[in-house]
């Protein structure tokens, strides 16, 4: 049984060595065969140098280093890691030690002893971020679960361990706009969710600001649902019905009661309202069109400048 650890690294110069040591401590004697697949996602610091040092010095370990030509994002890094992994089991784990390698042992235990499961996902038992962020994330999951065909576990991260068939299924999904949580749900398989305690980041800082999270969330919805596209249809239909009824009222009032309607303010408000709604609808269509456009170019998900691997 071989385990592959897929580790996306972006500006993690102060973490990768400690990460390696902690993993060795946790796995030696417990996991018979394991490999590290580090993906350097275009780091601007010394991450690549540190990874090369590990590769050259720790020859007793099975280490692969994939280095991107620029920053492609965590999702691309995960994809590259999966493609370069060879284990029967694959774990996705961050380089910053927020996710303890000991939890991977728990996950392996489930996969080995409960064969009905193909994937084990860890969820945060207690969220450590502020209540505004927690509320925002909850709202997002409610929204995406309502909108899309895939169902997402609100607290589950992409800290997971799964079998080779799951990894192959994910590799087969070569879409450009990747949203891992949705992909995991889409490919199916039986997933067990186990709680874990998220740790403080060892060094460096998170790459996720509020803005990038909102962008990620909206990307997640449009990647797995086309329901927002129906918005314009439904709303247009509703507005047409209401205005037809109103038109009939106006005609009847004019013919039978000789009553003329006035109202500058009403007209201005209605023009603004419908102008706004039309632009909103167009924007939604535009965002899907943009994704289709990018996907149709069939560009690679990542470009590896260098791959260090021992046979
Ligand atoms: N990461 C990456 N590419 C990016 C951003 C992040 O490979 O563009 C990696 C990062 O090095 C870390 C993991 O993804 O190993 C999670 O990132 P981070 O710790 O910033 O996210 P958080 O834990 O705050 O959600
Ligand atoms: Mg982190």
């Amino acid at each position: 049984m071989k385990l592959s650890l897929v580790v996306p690294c972006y500006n993690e110069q102060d973490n990768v060595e400690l990460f390696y040591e902690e993993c060795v401590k946790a796995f030696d004697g417990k996991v018979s065969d394991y490999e590290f697949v580090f993906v350097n996602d275009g780091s601007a610091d010394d991450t690549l140098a540190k990874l090369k040092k590990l590769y050259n010095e720790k020859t007793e370990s099975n280490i692969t280093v994939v280095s991107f030509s620029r920053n492609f994002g965590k999702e691309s890094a995960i994809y590259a890691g999966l493609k370069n992994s060879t284990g029967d089991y694959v774990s996705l784990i961050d380089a910053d030690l927020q996710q303890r390698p000991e939890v991977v042992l728990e996950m392996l235990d489930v996969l080995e002893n409960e064969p009905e499961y193909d994937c084990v996902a860890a969820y945060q038992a207690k969220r450590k971020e502020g209540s505004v962020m927690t509320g925002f994330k909850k709202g997002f999951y409610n929204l995406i679960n309502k909108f899309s065909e895939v169902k997402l576990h609100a607290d589950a991260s992409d800290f997971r361990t799964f079998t080779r068939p799951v990894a192959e299924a994910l590799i087969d999904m070569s879409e450009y706009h990747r949203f891992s949580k949705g992909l995991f749900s889409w490919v199916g398989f039986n997933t067990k969710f186990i709680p874990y305690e998220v740790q403080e980041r060892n060094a460096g800082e998170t790459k996720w600001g509020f803005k990038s999270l909102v962008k990620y969330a909206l990307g997640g919805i449009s990647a797995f649902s086309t329901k927002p596209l129906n918005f314009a249809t439904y709303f247009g239909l509703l507005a047409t019905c209401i205005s037809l009824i109103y038109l009939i009222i106006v005609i009847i009032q004019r013919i039978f009661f000789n009553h003329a309607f006035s109202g500058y303010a009403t007209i201005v408000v209605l023009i603004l309202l419908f102008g706004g709604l039309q632009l909103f609808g167009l924007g939604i269509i535009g965002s899907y069109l943009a994704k289709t456009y990018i996907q149709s170019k069939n560009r690679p998900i990542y470009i590896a400048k260098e791959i260090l691997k021992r046979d």
Side-chain angles (χ1 to χ4, degrees):
M1 195 280 306
K2 182 175 175 182
L3 169 71
S4 298
L5 292 165
V6 168
V7 196
C9 310
Y10 177 51
N11 296 346
E12 304 283 7
Q13 60 177 10
D14 298 323
N15 293 323
V16 286
E17 280 163 317
L18 186 65
F19 173 83
Y20 169 83
E21 299 297 341
E22 294 289 309
C23 286
V24 170
K25 236 193 279 168
F27 298 146
D28 266 7
K30 298 210 177 81
V31 183
S32 55
D33 189 10
Y34 61 95
E35 65 170 1
F36 293 87
V37 185
F38 289 106
V39 182
N40 171 41
D41 185 10
S43 300
D45 64 359
D46 281 335
T47 303
L48 181 59
K50 292 274 165 72
L51 291 176
K52 281 187 174 171
K53 196 169 150 223
L54 283 178
Y55 177 82
N56 290 322
E57 287 177 5
K58 310 287 178 189
T59 43
E60 71 278 15
S61 293
N62 196 344
I63 298 179
T64 298
V65 178
V66 180
S67 187
F68 285 0
S69 59
R70 64 168 169 87
N71 179 243
F72 279 86
K74 184 182 178 185
E75 298 285 345
S76 302
I78 290 176
Y79 185 73
L82 289 176
K83 279 202 112 165
N84 286 281
S85 70
T86 56
D88 310 300
Y89 296 123
V90 182
S91 271
L92 304 183
I93 182 165
D94 291 352
D96 56 11
L97 287 168
Q98 283 194 280
Q99 305 164 340
R100 295 296 311 170
E102 291 78 16
V103 182
V104 174
L105 291 175
E106 279 178 50
M107 294 174 166
L108 282 177
D109 202 47
V110 173
L111 290 176
E112 300 239 283
N113 298 317
E114 299 174 51
E116 66 272 29
Y117 291 112
D118 312 284
C119 178
V120 185
Y123 67 89
Q124 294 180 29
K126 253 191 274 137
R127 283 206 175 267
K128 290 217 164 141
E129 59 222 3
S131 54
V132 176
M133 193 58 118
T134 308
F136 168 73
K137 286 192 174 168
K138 267 212 178 103
F140 161 67
Y141 284 106
N142 283 340
L143 200 68
I144 197 165
N145 283 335
K146 211 173 261 163
F147 263 138
S148 72
E149 57 188 87
V150 300
K151 294 287 168 267
L152 303 184
H153 190 295
D155 297 310
S157 55
D158 40 24
F159 181 25
R160 289 168 189 254
T161 302
F162 40 88
T163 58
R164 180 57 29 197
V166 179
E168 292 301 326
L170 291 168
I171 293 170
D172 277 345
M173 305 199 56
S174 54
E175 59 205 75
Y176 187 80
H177 299 278
R178 304 184 72 76
F179 180 68
S180 275
K181 285 180 198 174
L183 293 176
F184 272 112
S185 174
W186 196 92
V187 296
F189 295 98
N190 280 338
T191 304
K192 180 168 188 173
F193 293 92
I194 62 167
Y196 85 108
E197 201 179 322
V198 66
Q199 310 293 315
E200 292 297 332
R201 203 170 216 289
N202 174 56
E205 50 192 51
T206 175
K207 284 98 202 172
W208 293 96
F210 189 73
K211 220 170 112 187
S212 53
L213 274 176
V214 171
K215 211 173 131 197
Y216 184 71
L218 292 178
I221 292 178
S222 61
F224 284 93
S225 169
T226 49
K227 281 197 185 140
L229 281 173
N230 300 338
F231 154 83
T233 317
Y234 294 139
F235 198 85
L237 216 62
L238 183 73
T240 311
C241 291
I242 294 173
S243 60
L244 275 177
I245 295 168
Y246 192 60
L247 180 74
I248 293 168
I249 294 173
V250 170
I251 291 174
I252 292 174
Q253 291 261 21
R254 184 78 182 114
I255 294 177
F256 296 104
F257 304 100
N258 200 21
H259 174 79
F261 284 84
S262 66
Y264 168 77
T266 324
I267 291 171
V268 171
V269 168
L270 286 177
I271 288 177
L272 286 178
L273 175 71
F274 284 96
L277 285 171
Q278 278 168 8
L279 286 179
F280 182 56
L282 271 180
I284 292 177
I285 296 170
S287 70
Y288 280 89
L289 185 66
K291 286 198 160 170
T292 317
Y293 171 66
I294 299 283
Q295 181 70 50
S296 72
K297 290 179 188 248
N298 248 332
R299 286 182 179 159
I301 296 166
Y302 67 90
I303 295 171
K305 195 160 87 176
E306 201 177 353
I307 299 180
L308 303 175
K309 199 177 207 161
R310 281 195 188 88
D311 297 317

